[in-house]
Amino acid sequence: MTGVKQGLITGGLSSAQLIAADAVAHRMMLRHKYRIECFREGELIWDDEFENLVVTVGRNEYLDKVYKASAYTASHFVGLTAGTPSFAAADTMASHGGWTEVTTYSEAVRQTFTPGTVAAGSVDNSAAKAVFSINGSATVGGAFLTTNNTKGGTTGILMGGNAFTGGDRSLQNNDTLNVTVTASLTSS
């Protein structure tokens, strides 16, 4: 046996164990955290925070653009879901049986995610929140991030989404929802 192989065996670790240990040491976690605030007549009525399930097509989008340096225009948009959404890793904008989109707002399109400065592995849109002017009664249950701004549309890449931690919320005409999305990449 060579000295390296012998050292690995003598030390109690196989080369496969070392590779596995190295992979664990370099694991990264992509997260989207949402904060939704509901204002009625200028007064904060409720707020909720939740983490996003980053769906498979969303993870593929990140990997393709970052590691393959594919052509990319960074445009992402925030959408709202109806009550009791259930997101799954296999969801796409064209196929997502566990949730529907809420379109009961005055804006003609989904609201733009405008990120600020990237720092410490994180970026958010706190300086330019996505604002939805509710124009009727509706139940909202969560939010999502996509690459297409078409209100109610089924094209573009779904990055992910999730349900509120506090359950569904009822909206009234003239309510305003402010949505802050924080995207972060952490090692764990």
Side-chain angles (χ1 to χ4, degrees):
M1 293 190 141
T2 66
V4 172
K5 287 183 183 174
Q6 189 174 23
L8 290 175
I9 293 171
T10 308
L13 292 176
S14 70
S15 58
Q17 288 170 315
L18 282 176
I19 291 168
D22 189 49
V24 169
H26 292 97
R27 184 174 44 190
M28 294 172 62
M29 177 82 64
L30 175 63
R31 296 174 187 238
H32 295 154
K33 182 178 180 180
Y34 291 74
R35 179 165 187 214
I36 316 284
E37 301 167 302
C38 180
F39 290 89
R40 186 170 296 146
E41 297 177 10
E43 190 174 322
L44 180 64
I45 301 298
W46 57 264
D47 68 284
D48 200 335
E49 286 188 356
F50 59 93
E51 288 208 7
N52 179 81
L53 168 66
V54 180
V55 297
T56 302
V57 293
R59 292 190 310 261
N60 290 346
E61 177 76 353
Y62 278 104
L63 292 171
D64 187 51
K65 302 314 180 230
V66 171
Y67 290 108
K68 293 186 74 180
S70 298
Y72 192 58
T73 302
S75 296
H76 292 93
F77 305 92
V78 179
L80 304 172
T81 68
T84 320
S86 176
F87 281 82
D91 283 355
T92 66
M93 285 308 300
S95 176
H96 48 78
W99 57 275
T100 58
E101 184 174 355
V102 167
T103 58
T104 312
Y105 53 89
S106 299
E107 292 75 19
V109 294
R110 294 177 185 134
Q111 295 305 280
T112 303
F113 171 68
T114 306
T117 303
V118 176
S122 181
V123 66
D124 65 46
N125 66 330
S126 60
K129 297 175 184 177
V131 177
F132 295 86
S133 305
I134 306 304
N135 63 0
S137 296
T139 299
V140 65
F144 63 93
L145 198 61
T146 183
T147 61
N148 186 291
N149 72 348
T150 304
K151 186 176 173 177
T154 59
T155 60
I157 297 169
L158 175 65
M159 302 308 288
N162 217 341
F164 294 154
T165 56
D168 295 345
R169 304 294 186 142
S170 295
L171 301 175
Q172 297 178 9
N173 190 35
N174 296 320
D175 283 354
T176 300
L177 292 184
N178 292 340
V179 182
T180 304
V181 182
T182 302
S184 60
L185 194 57
T186 59
S187 58
S188 58

